[in-house]
Amino acid sequence: MDSFLDLFDPGTSPPTNCDVWPEDDDDATRLPPEPQMGNVEYKLKLTSPSKLRFEHLVTQLKWRLREGHGEAIYEIGVEDTGKLTGLSSDDMKSSLITLDQMALKLGATTSVLRERSVGKDKIVAEVLVRKVPDDQECIEVMVAVLGGADAGKSTLLGVLAHGEFDNGRGSARLNVLRHLHELRSGRTSSISHEILGFDTEGDVINYQKARTAEEIRDRSSKLITFLDLAGHKKYLKTTVAGLSGYCPNHVMLVVSSPAVNVSSPTQLDMTKEHMDLALALRLPFCIVVTKTDITPADNTINWLESVLKSIGCRKVPLVIKSDDDVITASSAQPAQNVVPIFTISSVTGENLDLLTRFLYVLPPSISIKEKERLEQECCQFQIDEIFKVPDIGTIVGGVLTQGVVNVATELVIGPLDNGTFVPVTVQSIHRNKAPCRVVKATQSASLNLEKAIPGLRNGMVLLGLGVNHSACIFFQARIVVLYHATSIHNGFQTTVHIGNIRQTAAIVAIMECDKRGMHTNDSASVIFKFARHPEYVTEGMRLLFREGQTKGIGIVTQVFTLQVVAG
């Protein structure tokens, strides 16, 4: 029981071994010891290495890049124990030249993130080494954008993606909103995508510098894909479905600075709700306080700090005021202990450079080993959107959770209402609004299928021919009730989110529970029954369920396969 609760415990202790540089004081002369695994490497100096030593250093860099999914951090002037010894300016210059040569040997690039003086005439440097994997066009990170209604999410994305400040009346969001009713109300009700690219020098590549999404992708060494999710309580199910189905690497929680000062309960409640979702899904997140040109952010920051330090969260807030804070926050993201807080204005552009700098150095959350493992699995594509285009056919959008899909790949799609799967062939593929030939595990894409399939719906999957194609109506899960006002008994109905699946399900059996039912913080093994149609569920999938104020999480432990009758 304890191990299960620990798995879902969103709270963590303050960072103890993060790659965070110490503050500027006399005693701050040490980092944590060099980690054996990961993408961080300490080097005291790299001056004039021998040929054999150089080859060894290149091999070491290659391994660190592999660990960091194409990105590595080198701390120059730092001993393996973490002591900040520092180098003279000449030795530092020579070491950086050597690191450039090492990177050049691997086809990588380097950029100095920050330098700091240590003692008398000694400096240490932190260098980002980046190499786009040979099988990728660029390094990609997906960021889900959450926040209450009127927080300024779409406006912020419009400014970032198109490079033009807002006029204070919502001009920037016009480039992001998808539907006429969204333009009229100013509220996002659907899931939309925006992209932001960076070149090898860290310069932003957006629609102000490139005419098309394809050009942005081609010119970028790192690509940030934003998932703009709805903020109004009315569309909460769509927001949860986007978080659960698209599996983002990071969450950007947007809060309006005036909301705290005017005590806007709706926006503040949604902020807490969205923060709980990120914690439940164990996603690293940052917070962006917008509209600082209208209201100072002091009260908002105080409120956020109290929420982050509370028992249910236990995070360390870090208000970003400089480039040094940006690197510190980015280095701490894998540990998910530190939550950076940005204060920005989409009208004046205040601190937007710090936010873009953070996105530039934001590390991918999945290791290259894990990505390679997923690519070796038989393909599984989760369908989140369906389009019917005249003269083109059926187009499905979603995320490839495992495997590799090429043009002309033969797959099966389902389950249909009777639990069956039907064969299809992929005609073409689009990613980031541009055509491509292949999509790999963890990437989102749109696939054009060869024929129209009656009865298609969101929540279906495309599977490789080697996967066991079976659907289920009943499944068992180990759940934890995060909140319920009374008690949960057999027959309780709730909306269940499992990956891209969103359907009403009823609890038909509760094990390890007495007659008083399940209450807040209780955990048990339960059996769910889908209310309308069968779904494709596998053991180990994480689920969220909610109904009104009731919230819970769990893991699928057993699937009862639906027996399909031929004919």
Side-chain angles (χ1 to χ4, degrees), residues 21 56 70 103 128 130 150 162 230 244 327 393 414 421 489 496 544 548 564:
W21 280 27
H56 173 74
L128 171 67
R130 175 174 291 161
D150 303 321
H162 294 268
S244 177
I327 307 304
F421 291 76
H489 298 272
V496 175
L544 289 87
V564 179

Side-chain angles (χ1 to χ4, degrees), residues 418-420 562-567:
N418 60 1
T420 60
L562 177 67
Q563 299 299 320
V564 179
V565 179

Side-chain angles (χ1 to χ4, degrees), residues 1-9 282 478 480 521 523:
M1 184 67 63
D2 290 339
S3 61
F4 177 78
L5 292 175
D6 289 341
L7 177 63
F8 287 110
D9 182 13
R282 308 190 78 177
R478 188 79 179 180
V480 174
N521 294 329
S523 62

Side-chain angles (χ1 to χ4, degrees), residues 423-501:
V424 294
T425 302
V426 177
Q427 294 290 90
S428 62
I429 302 173
H430 274 67
R431 294 197 62 246
N432 299 319
K433 306 176 184 178
C436 63
R437 300 290 300 176
V438 62
V439 56
K440 299 184 179 181
T442 72
Q443 295 178 342
S444 59
S446 297
L447 310 181
N448 178 21
L449 306 181
E450 65 166 343
K451 59 182 179 181
I453 308 296
L456 283 186
R457 53 178 169 77
N458 295 348
M460 286 185 170
V461 292
L462 284 162
L463 301 175
L465 300 180
V467 175
N468 180 24
H469 311 138
S470 57
C472 73
I473 289 288
F474 295 90
F475 67 93
Q476 185 171 333
R478 188 79 179 180
I479 66 169
V480 174
V481 180
L482 299 179
Y483 177 79
H484 187 63
T486 55
S487 59
I488 294 176
H489 298 272
N490 290 346
F492 174 77
Q493 289 191 340
T494 180
T495 301
V496 175
H497 298 265
I498 310 175
N500 63 326
I501 297 170

Side-chain angles (χ1 to χ4, degrees), residues 19-56:
D19 310 317
V20 179
W21 280 27
E23 298 295 332
D24 288 315
D25 57 56
D26 294 337
D27 297 327
T29 58
R30 185 175 297 276
L31 291 175
E34 181 184 52
Q36 296 300 314
M37 307 300 291
N39 68 332
V40 179
E41 179 70 28
Y42 296 173
K43 288 299 178 190
L44 181 57
K45 63 168 63 177
L46 294 171
T47 56
S48 305
S50 64
K51 184 176 181 180
L52 183 62
R53 171 66 174 163
F54 182 80
E55 293 298 328
H56 173 74

